[in-house]
Amino acid sequence: MTATAPGRSATAVYRLTAPALPTTPRVARDAVAAWLCAAGHHGLLDTARTLVSDVVTNVVVHTRVPHLWVGAAVTRLGAVVSV
């Protein structure tokens, strides 16, 4: 995970690399929730957890990749999450 210091930039950028295992959706869901909490986006938590869990589960179940990546660019206005 990498982060840009909030004082230097208006955007914090986070990345998670994880093995494509059945436990990875929970890890990814918790990571994204922590990133959003750190920025004070508590209102986005339920939706973000659901979406991240669903997309990461699809990667684990329907692909044969050994690893996957989850990233987020978080600003004071919201976040863009990618898998």
Side-chain angles (χ1 to χ4, degrees), residues 2 6 12 19 50:
T2 59
T50 300

Side-chain angles (χ1 to χ4, degrees), residues 31-44:
V32 171
W35 302 337
L36 293 174
C37 279
H41 293 304
H42 303 285
L44 300 176

